[in-house]
Amino acid sequence: MVSWSWGWDLLVLVTTLVAAIYAYIWWSYQYWRRRGLPYLEPKAPFGTFPNPFDSTAGLRGSVRKMYNEAKSRGWRHVGLYRLTKPIYMPMDLDLIKSIMTKDFSHFVDRGLYYNEKDDPISAHLFALGGTKWRNLRVKLTPTFTSGKLKAMFQTVVDCGLVMEEYIQKNINDKDPVEIKELLGRLTTNVIGTCAFGIDCNTFKDEDSPFTNTTRKLFKTSILRSLRAIFSQSFPGLCKSLGIRSVPRDISDFYTKVVEDTVNYRLKNNITRKDLLQLLIDIKTDKDGNKDGYQADGKSLTMNEIVAESFLFFLAGFETSSTTMTFALYLLAVHPELQEKVREEIRTVFARHGNQMTYDSLNELKYMKQVIDETLRMYSPLPFVTRECVESYKIPDEDTTIEVGTGVMIPIEALHYDPEYFENPTTFDPDRFSEENKKNIPQYAYLPFGEGPRICIGERFGVMQTKVGLACLLRNYRVTLNEKNQTTCGAGQEGVAACGRWWYVVESAKTLVKHLTDNMVSWSWGWDLLILVTTLVAAIYAYIWWSYQYWRRRGLPYLEPKAPFGTFPSPFDSTGLRESVRKNYNEAKSRGWRYVGLYRLTKPDFMPMDLDLIKSIMTKDFSHFVDRGVYYNEKDDPINVHLFTLGGAKWRNLRVKLTPTFTSGKLKAMFQTVVDCGLVMEEYIQENINNKDPVEIKELLGRLTTNVIGTCAFGIDCNTFKDEDSPFTNTTRRLFKPSILLILLGIFAESFPGLSRSLGIRSVPRDISDFYTKVVEDTVNYRLKNNITRKDLLQLLIDIKTDKDGNKDGYQGERFGVMQTKVGLACLLRNYRVTLNEKTKQPLELDKRAFLPVVAGGPKYVLTLRYTLCLPHSPILGSINIWEKCQLQ
């Protein structure tokens, strides 16, 4: 393999990675089968959900199709997959009630992706879960009371009157206009005024900053769809990668608008009757909360105000404008119902002096029925999600939903289920009359969700929708344009207005549809190929950019080679030790005091000048406290030790362990070490004659295993009596290098945050479990039986139980020296060591190992022969001890 180029190494790595991904996908797609729950067969890589590259397979239609297919098989629930993540979809109304309300504590979270650190605007009430959601919900609940809505009502009406004035001045009886665009301007004005406290001026300036930013916010793309799918499926990984839900420029715009407005009001003591003022009052504790903010719901930070204002805009703009658009479409198709709504508006307003008031709006009963039926047929969301936060046994089933499993409530599919709504495709507002709506089964109609996480702004959204429809329908009649009598569907563009007459027109997005139609015939394999090609190109660009780091810093560097940088390929026989020496010698030959290196794509600084080394290790130590060694405290706690820790954790632990290796403590352990040496001497006398060869490294390994096992773990490892004792075998496995472990080590050192998210361990689980059990059992036994011994474990137990104070300075290296001295003394006081005349090869260390491990390998066999002679001993004569090390 030495002659292979790094390209071949990379090919092997990629092939292995592809095989691992395939195996992972296959295993993931067995989840519901293993759980014994009925499921729909997934297709890689998107599971049971549609390919985002396929314009014919929409998400809404796909969910309804899955619901209908599962229900046709007589299932109460069904298992689905989003990429490889299992999704549980209940269809039985009792199950839905249990999840959303009755057993809500098991499904508090929505399971939506948000990134509070890199994208704080996404951490709003709709996305948050757990305690953060509860605290914020409690604080925001009073924001949408009847009193607060009445306070904001006139602001909403004023925006409606501006729209009426715009129609009168700018639209005649023949000019078509896109109704969705018109209503979008209305809701932008309303939400901009109520949520951000500014006049968005959308009816005077069609390209106002607020309007343009809103268009960008709701503009879909395949890249954004893929990013959303990926982040929902792998939230931990995406947070580590800093992936955002909201593009930075859009986030910065809304953040600046809110911060500027809040600061201006606070500075000038200005108050207004809008949502933003309510949030400011919470922030400044004007509602009676006197405690400072501690993320406990007692106040709001500026980031939370921005996030909640943004959510209010997000929900209020699109849902209300879309609902009004579909309501007008349905009323245009049914002119007799439109006349009934108009007559109700005029009759009710006449009783209130022809004024639109909060009370008059609440009297529009039939309009409310129209809105309810519109929300049934065109629900703002086709489904809502939950995530299991506490294991839940499905009622009357043997299946348990595990923590972390996603749950999907199929709202639109329920709304079109003929079992709950007769003739579901027919527009019939009378379904929601006072007499008939009681016949609708509970949890079959869920346009705003249900339970503790029901939409907090439901009443405001309905109020805004009523105002918009009333402003239009009291003076205008709506009809469809005869040139475009197409059916209006969810997600479709195309409803527009013309003076007193309203039309459906074809929107500019038809061009986009023509372009995307050409993609329909692509198989998902081609889609995956494009995705992989793009990913490879991105990786190449990232590696190239990373390898310019030292050049950009103006520091001398050795030229790296992808993908391992200036360090050797683990597939190459060139070892790490030899490589570091080679890098050092090459840099020094060029007269450099230091040199820039790369480990994968991570830059490493290597000083060679002794003054620089002194500064880093001692003089300016405060700048270089950490070793930068990978550890994973959550998944691999055994590797969180003094050598790997950094910062405050290292300082605190160092102080605790300082007394462990004082002269007094070493003296206390000395006899234990000597006893182990004497056991080795006894073993040699009894088992080795002057001709039998023996592996010296194995012999000394047994000694140190006995010493450390006795001193560190408090047990007799019995290595000289049992060559295959559990302790010996586990230790061999611990120090047995492999390509996989080396690759994992390199990856973890280079990408520690990502590796922690993936749960990568430094110590294999079985080895970790073995040592953990040994220590825990010994500690518990000693504490329970009040046993003390003169060993390292006892010193640690004393620190745990505070039996010892910090008395002396740290001298940890002395234990290793003491152990080495004892071992050598036990051998050399009675034996003379010479090399066996048959083997004269020099002793070498494993080239690939970081720690000093005696080498051998599949490429060669290293045989070391020693002669141990007992001078002046007529009993033993001379002893040949040889070692044959073969690296497996």
Side-chain angles (χ1 to χ4, degrees):
M1 298 173 74
V2 177
S3 61
W4 287 14
S5 68
W6 70 264
W8 283 104
D9 296 340
L10 185 60
L11 178 61
V12 172
L13 180 63
V14 170
T15 304
T16 305
L17 183 63
V18 170
I21 291 173
Y22 176 84
Y24 170 73
I25 292 175
W26 180 87
W27 175 255
S28 299
Y29 284 169
Q30 307 302 309
Y31 180 83
W32 291 120
R33 176 179 292 175
R34 295 193 299 269
R35 308 295 295 175
L37 192 121
Y39 64 95
L40 298 180
E41 202 66 42
K43 294 181 180 179
F46 300 106
T48 49
F49 286 81
N51 181 348
F53 296 102
D54 189 348
S55 62
T56 62
L59 185 59
R60 286 176 174 268
S62 176
V63 174
R64 283 176 61 182
K65 181 180 179 182
M66 290 187 289
Y67 175 94
N68 292 334
E69 182 176 349
K71 190 154 188 178
S72 69
R73 300 183 186 184
W75 298 343
R76 300 171 62 220
H77 46 197
V78 64
L80 309 173
Y81 295 93
R82 183 176 64 240
L83 292 187
T84 58
K85 183 176 182 179
I87 304 294
Y88 173 75
M89 185 171 78
M91 299 175 295
D92 180 84
L93 297 186
D94 289 333
L95 286 177
I96 293 173
K97 179 180 180 180
S98 295
I99 290 172
M100 302 189 81
T101 306
K102 185 179 178 182
D103 299 315
F104 173 73
S105 61
H106 294 263
F107 303 94
V108 176
D109 296 1
R110 290 191 187 274
L112 298 179
Y113 176 74
Y114 66 92
N115 188 341
E116 196 165 4
K117 176 183 175 183
D118 301 294
D119 187 22
I121 201 172
S122 67
H124 46 63
L125 190 67
F126 192 79
L128 287 173
T131 303
K132 288 186 177 181
W133 168 79
R134 293 180 191 276
N135 293 336
L136 197 56
R137 178 82 183 203
V138 168
K139 185 50 57 182
L140 294 179
T141 295
T143 304
F144 295 97
T145 60
S146 297
K148 301 293 174 63
L149 290 177
K150 285 182 180 180
M152 289 188 281
F153 177 75
Q154 193 55 47
T155 302
V156 179
V157 171
D158 291 342
C159 293
L161 297 178
V162 170
M163 180 183 70
E164 280 193 272
E165 183 181 354
Y166 172 83
I167 294 173
Q168 292 172 0
K169 292 181 178 180
N170 296 279
I171 301 175
N172 59 44
D173 289 349
K174 295 182 179 180
D175 293 337
V177 61
E178 292 190 11
I179 190 67
K180 181 67 168 63
E181 176 72 16
L182 184 74
L183 295 173
R185 293 193 209 177
L186 168 64
T187 53
T188 300
N189 254 7
V190 171
I191 304 301
T193 305
C194 292
F196 296 94
I198 62 173
D199 183 1
C200 298
N201 202 27
T202 56
F203 286 105
K204 294 181 181 179
D205 183 3
E206 296 182 7
D207 295 315
S208 66
F210 225 98
T211 303
N212 286 335
T213 306
T214 301
R215 287 179 185 141
K216 286 163 61 181
L217 175 64
F218 288 98
K219 184 178 180 181
T220 59
S221 69
I222 288 181
L223 178 61
R224 289 181 70 174
S225 298
L226 285 174
R227 185 169 58 189
I229 294 171
F230 187 75
S231 60
Q232 285 299 120
S233 301
F234 308 103
L237 174 60
C238 290
K239 287 177 182 175
S240 299
L241 297 174
I243 292 179
R244 304 168 59 92
S245 299
V246 183
R248 185 179 297 277
D249 58 334
I250 296 176
S251 175
D252 290 346
F253 173 82
Y254 290 116
T255 299
K256 188 176 187 305
V257 167
V258 174
E259 288 180 347
D260 288 351
T261 306
V262 170
N263 291 332
Y264 179 78
R265 291 192 188 182
L266 292 175
K267 182 179 178 180
N268 297 278
N269 198 27
I270 295 173
T271 60
R272 288 186 58 180
K273 294 179 179 180
D274 55 26
L275 174 71
L276 186 61
Q277 189 62 49
L278 300 177
L279 298 177
I280 293 173
D281 290 344
I282 296 173
K283 172 180 170 61
T284 55
D285 288 329
K286 290 185 178 180
D287 281 347
N289 296 313
K290 302 303 180 184
D291 300 316
Y293 179 70
Q294 299 175 350
D296 57 1
K298 294 181 178 180
S299 182
L300 292 175
T301 65
M302 181 62 79
N303 278 345
E304 287 176 326
I305 290 179
V306 173
E308 299 319 311
S309 297
F310 177 71
L311 171 63
F312 190 54
F313 178 80
L314 197 67
F317 165 77
E318 181 63 21
T319 57
S320 294
S321 62
T322 301
T323 299
M324 285 187 282
T325 298
F326 284 126
L328 290 172
Y329 166 76
L330 292 168
L331 292 175
V333 174
H334 301 87
E336 72 285 359
L337 302 182
Q338 182 183 158
E339 290 300 324
K340 187 174 181 179
V341 173
R342 183 177 297 103
E343 183 61 31
E344 181 187 50
I345 294 171
R346 291 174 175 174
T347 301
V348 170
F349 282 10
R351 292 201 298 265
H352 294 267
N354 289 320
Q355 296 296 314
M356 190 183 303
T357 65
Y358 186 80
D359 293 332
S360 66
L361 213 63
N362 287 333
E363 293 180 24
L364 298 175
K365 302 298 183 183
Y366 191 73
M367 178 186 283
K368 180 60 166 60
Q369 293 175 213
V370 169
I371 294 172
D372 288 341
E373 177 68 348
T374 301
L375 290 171
R376 182 192 68 81
M377 297 185 71
Y378 304 105
S379 55
L381 294 175
F383 57 85
V384 291
T385 59
R386 295 289 186 271
E387 183 175 87
C388 184
V389 297
E390 183 181 339
S391 294
Y392 180 73
K393 184 181 181 300
I394 300 173
D396 304 321
E397 300 269 351
D398 292 331
T399 304
T400 298
I401 301 177
E402 295 182 321
V403 173
T405 304
V407 178
M408 187 173 71
I409 310 297
I411 293 176
E412 187 175 86
L414 291 169
H415 290 182
Y416 277 86
D417 191 330
E419 181 181 349
Y420 310 128
F421 299 96
E422 187 177 355
N423 299 320
T425 58
T426 301
F427 177 62
D428 182 11
D430 285 334
R431 297 180 201 270
F432 294 92
S433 66
E434 291 297 329
E435 312 85 64
N436 294 332
K437 66 180 180 182
K438 61 185 178 183
N439 297 323
I440 299 174
Q442 193 179 17
Y443 292 89
Y445 179 67
L446 302 167
F448 296 100
E450 193 53 85
R453 290 206 76 143
I454 192 171
C455 177
I456 195 172
E458 172 187 359
R459 295 168 66 189
F460 182 90
V462 172
M463 180 180 74
Q464 179 184 215
T465 302
K466 281 185 174 182
V467 168
L469 292 177
C471 286
L472 284 168
L473 294 175
R474 66 175 172 176
N475 293 317
Y476 298 93
R477 181 174 294 110
V478 181
T479 62
L480 290 176
N481 188 309
E482 66 280 357
K483 296 180 181 180
N484 192 17
Q485 300 287 342
T486 57
T487 301
C488 189
Q492 266 183 260
E493 291 281 327
V495 184
C498 179
R500 293 172 182 264
W501 299 89
W502 297 78
Y503 301 86
V504 174
V505 298
E506 187 177 6
S507 83
K509 290 210 173 171
T510 305
L511 175 60
V512 177
K513 185 179 186 303
H514 292 328
L515 292 175
T516 55
D517 281 343
N518 295 325
M519 303 171 73
V520 175
S521 60
W522 290 12
S523 70
W524 72 264
W526 283 104
D527 298 338
L528 188 59
L529 178 62
I530 292 175
L531 181 62
V532 170
T533 303
T534 305
L535 183 62
V536 169
I539 292 173
Y540 176 84
Y542 170 74
I543 292 175
W544 180 87
W545 175 254
S546 299
Y547 284 170
Q548 307 302 309
Y549 179 84
W550 292 121
R551 176 178 293 175
R552 295 194 299 270
R553 308 291 294 181
L555 191 121
Y557 64 95
L558 297 180
E559 200 66 42
K561 293 181 180 180
F564 299 105
T566 50
F567 288 84
S569 163
F571 301 103
D572 197 339
S573 61
T574 304
L576 181 62
R577 290 171 172 270
E578 183 180 332
S579 175
V580 173
R581 286 174 60 185
K582 183 180 177 182
N583 290 341
Y584 175 92
N585 292 333
E586 183 176 348
K588 193 157 188 178
S589 68
R590 300 183 186 185
W592 297 343
R593 299 172 60 222
Y594 44 78
V595 63
L597 306 175
Y598 295 93
R599 184 171 64 244
L600 291 187
T601 57
K602 184 177 180 180
D604 282 329
F605 175 77
M606 184 170 78
M608 298 174 293
D609 181 84
L610 297 184
D611 289 333
L612 281 178
I613 294 173
K614 178 181 178 181
S615 296
I616 290 171
M617 301 189 76
T618 307
K619 185 178 178 182
D620 298 316
F621 173 72
S622 61
H623 295 266
F624 304 95
V625 175
D626 296 359
R627 290 189 187 273
V629 178
Y630 174 76
Y631 65 90
N632 187 342
E633 193 165 3
K634 177 183 176 184
D635 301 295
D636 189 22
I638 199 173
N639 199 41
V640 187
H641 45 65
L642 193 65
F643 188 84
T644 58
L645 285 173
K649 289 185 177 180
W650 170 80
R651 295 180 189 278
N652 294 336
L653 193 58
R654 177 83 180 205
V655 170
K656 290 179 182 178
L657 295 180
T658 291
T660 305
F661 294 98
T662 61
S663 298
K665 300 296 174 60
L666 289 178
K667 286 181 180 179
M669 287 189 285
F670 176 73
Q671 191 57 47
T672 303
V673 179
V674 171
D675 290 343
C676 293
L678 296 176
V679 170
M680 181 183 71
E681 279 194 272
E682 181 181 351
Y683 173 83
I684 293 173
Q685 292 171 1
E686 294 179 356
N687 296 278
I688 301 173
N689 58 44
N690 59 356
K691 292 183 179 180
D692 291 340
V694 63
E695 295 184 7
I696 190 87
K697 180 64 170 61
E698 176 71 16
L699 182 73
L700 296 174
R702 293 193 208 177
L703 168 64
T704 53
T705 299
N706 253 6
V707 171
I708 302 302
T710 306
C711 292
F713 295 93
I715 62 173
D716 182 2
C717 297
N718 201 27
T719 57
F720 286 105
K721 296 181 180 178
D722 183 1
E723 295 183 7
D724 295 315
S725 68
F727 221 97
T728 303
N729 286 335
T730 305
T731 302
R732 286 177 186 145
R733 282 160 45 214
L734 176 64
F735 287 99
K736 184 179 180 181
S738 71
I739 296 293
L740 178 61
L741 287 176
I742 293 172
L743 286 174
L744 282 176
I746 294 172
F747 184 82
E749 289 298 315
S750 302
F751 308 103
L754 175 58
S755 298
R756 289 189 183 101
S757 299
L758 296 175
I760 292 178
R761 304 168 59 92
S762 298
V763 181
R765 185 180 297 277
D766 58 333
I767 296 177
S768 173
D769 290 346
F770 173 81
Y771 288 119
T772 299
K773 187 176 188 304
V774 167
V775 174
E776 288 180 347
D777 289 350
T778 306
V779 170
N780 292 333
Y781 179 78
R782 290 193 188 182
L783 292 176
K784 181 179 179 180
N785 297 280
N786 197 27
I787 295 173
T788 60
R789 289 185 59 182
K790 294 178 179 180
D791 55 25
L792 174 66
L793 186 60
Q794 189 61 49
L795 301 178
L796 298 177
I797 293 173
D798 290 344
I799 295 174
K800 172 181 169 63
T801 55
D802 287 327
K803 290 185 178 180
D804 246 344
N806 294 331
K807 299 175 182 178
D808 302 300
Y810 177 73
Q811 303 175 35
E813 74 281 358
R814 295 176 59 183
F815 179 85
V817 174
M818 179 181 76
Q819 178 185 215
T820 303
K821 281 183 176 181
V822 169
L824 292 176
C826 287
L827 280 171
L828 295 177
R829 66 174 174 174
N830 293 318
Y831 299 93
R832 181 179 296 111
V833 180
T834 63
L835 283 177
N836 187 292
E837 67 281 355
K838 294 182 180 180
T839 305
K840 299 294 185 180
Q841 292 99 326
L843 181 66
E844 293 183 0
L845 294 173
D846 188 341
K847 295 180 179 181
R848 296 183 297 179
F850 179 74
L851 294 175
V853 179
V854 175
K859 305 172 187 64
Y860 59 90
V861 175
L862 173 65
T863 304
L864 305 177
R865 297 182 182 273
Y866 298 85
T867 301
L868 274 67
C869 301
L870 181 62
H872 316 298
S873 174
I875 301 176
L876 293 179
S878 65
I879 298 177
N880 287 328
I881 300 181
W882 66 277
E883 174 189 39
K884 183 179 180 181
C885 299
Q886 274 194 309
L887 186 65
Q888 300 300 320

